Amino acid sequence: MEFQRRVSSEKRATVISLRNMLLALATSVFYTIYGFSVDFLGLSKARLLFALVFLIVGAVFKALSLGPLREYLTFGEG
């Protein structure tokens, strides 16, 4: 709500368009890497690999949120 009051509709549309463009680029990079890994490893091994990678990334962020980066990784609090 605060975002809508402080930012004009033209700038808000630009910010949302930029966000959507960056999300599309990130998605395309992800699916490119995923596609090559499926070609190289096969579907089941590629899924397992990506699941383990995302599990490790999530565990690292959780560990960092409990440790030295706690104040920077809290979302919507404080």
Side-chain angles (χ1 to χ4, degrees), residues 23-57:
L23 286 173
L25 287 172
T27 302
S28 67
V29 168
F30 170 77
Y31 279 117
T32 301
I33 294 169
Y34 185 69
F36 280 117
S37 67
V38 168
D39 283 343
F40 183 71
L41 298 172
L43 183 59
S44 61
K45 288 181 183 177
R47 283 183 176 178
L48 178 63
L49 175 69
F50 275 78
L52 290 174
V53 167
F54 286 130
L55 180 68
I56 291 168
V57 168

Side-chain angles (χ1 to χ4, degrees), residues 5-6 8 11 19 37 41 46 65 77-78:
R5 271 190 247 135
R6 291 184 178 249
S8 68
K11 288 182 183 178
R19 176 188 167 271
S37 67
L41 298 172
S65 71
E77 298 174 8

Side-chain angles (χ1 to χ4, degrees), residues 1 6-7 9 13 17-18 21 23-24 31 38 41 44 47 51 54-55 67 69-70 72-74 77:
M1 191 64 157
R6 291 184 178 249
V7 179
S9 62
S17 296
L18 179 63
M21 183 186 70
L23 286 173
Y31 279 117
V38 168
L41 298 172
S44 61
R47 283 183 176 178
F54 286 130
L55 180 68
L69 297 179
R70 176 181 29 234
Y72 298 109
L73 294 176
T74 55
E77 298 174 8

